[in-house]
């Protein structure tokens, strides 16, 4: 898995979170963690004490992140709607409000969202199976 040191500027990783991240990333897992001390950027959302972090397994995203470090981005997956899979779909949804980097169509399921900020729980089922996460945390 990738080195999470760059993400420590935004999120507090305990040993469990480090183990899960090292086992899955880069990959389709978003982990909700407590914010790092001093990281107080307004990212919206309903839980200001936490931040969701992810290292996607997409060559263009990984190359971009290697150049920039962690980025604050929005998900193109709206709750209850099918996931967006192309840059064109994202541009239609967001218009000129956000920059869209076109790395080609993405297929498959959205990421699994795992809350490790308190009692572990899956907030959104996705590409990583809950049983696999359970095994990693035990």
């Amino acid at each position: 898995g990738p080195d999470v040191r760059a993400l420590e500027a935004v999120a507090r990783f305990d040993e469990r979170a480090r183990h899960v991240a090292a086992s899955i990333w880069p990959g389709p897992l978003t982990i909700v963690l407590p914010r790092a001390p001093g990281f107080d950027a307004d990212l919206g959302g309903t839980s200001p004490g936490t931040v969701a972090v992810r290292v996607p397994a997409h060559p263009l995203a990984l190359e971009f992140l290697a150049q920039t470090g962690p980025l604050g981005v929005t998900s193109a997956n709206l709750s209850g709607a099918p996931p967006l899979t192309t840059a064109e779909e994202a541009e239609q949804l967001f218009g000129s409000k956000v920059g869209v980097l076109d790395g080609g169509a993405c297929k498959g399921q959205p990421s699994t969202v795992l809350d490790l900020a308190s009692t572990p729980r899956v907030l959104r089922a996705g590409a990583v199976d809950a049983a696999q996460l359970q095994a990693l945390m035990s």
Side-chain angles (χ1 to χ4, degrees):
D3 189 342
V4 298
R5 281 181 291 192
L7 290 171
E8 289 176 342
V10 297
R12 285 196 329 240
F13 284 80
D14 60 16
E15 287 308 309
R16 175 183 56 197
R18 283 180 199 289
H19 177 68
V20 170
S23 300
I24 304 289
W25 286 348
L29 178 67
T30 300
I31 305 174
V32 177
L33 295 168
R35 284 178 178 241
F39 181 68
D40 52 11
D42 181 7
L43 301 174
T46 58
S47 187
T50 63
V51 62
V53 291
R54 179 168 175 220
V55 179
H58 189 286
L60 181 60
L62 291 171
E63 182 180 329
F64 193 66
L65 290 169
Q67 299 299 316
T68 64
L71 295 171
V73 299
T74 187
S75 173
N77 298 323
L78 300 180
S79 184
L84 304 181
T85 60
T86 67
E88 292 79 19
E89 290 173 349
E91 287 168 344
Q92 286 175 357
L93 177 65
F94 295 108
S96 62
K97 296 178 204 168
V98 299
V100 176
L101 192 59
D102 189 352
C106 295
K107 305 288 185 212
Q109 293 179 285
S111 67
T112 298
V113 179
L114 176 64
D115 185 347
L116 292 180
S118 55
T119 302
R121 62 191 171 117
V122 173
L123 299 178
R124 178 179 73 197
V128 178
D129 183 78
Q132 180 184 5
L133 293 174
Q134 194 69 13
L136 285 172
M137 290 186 291
S138 56

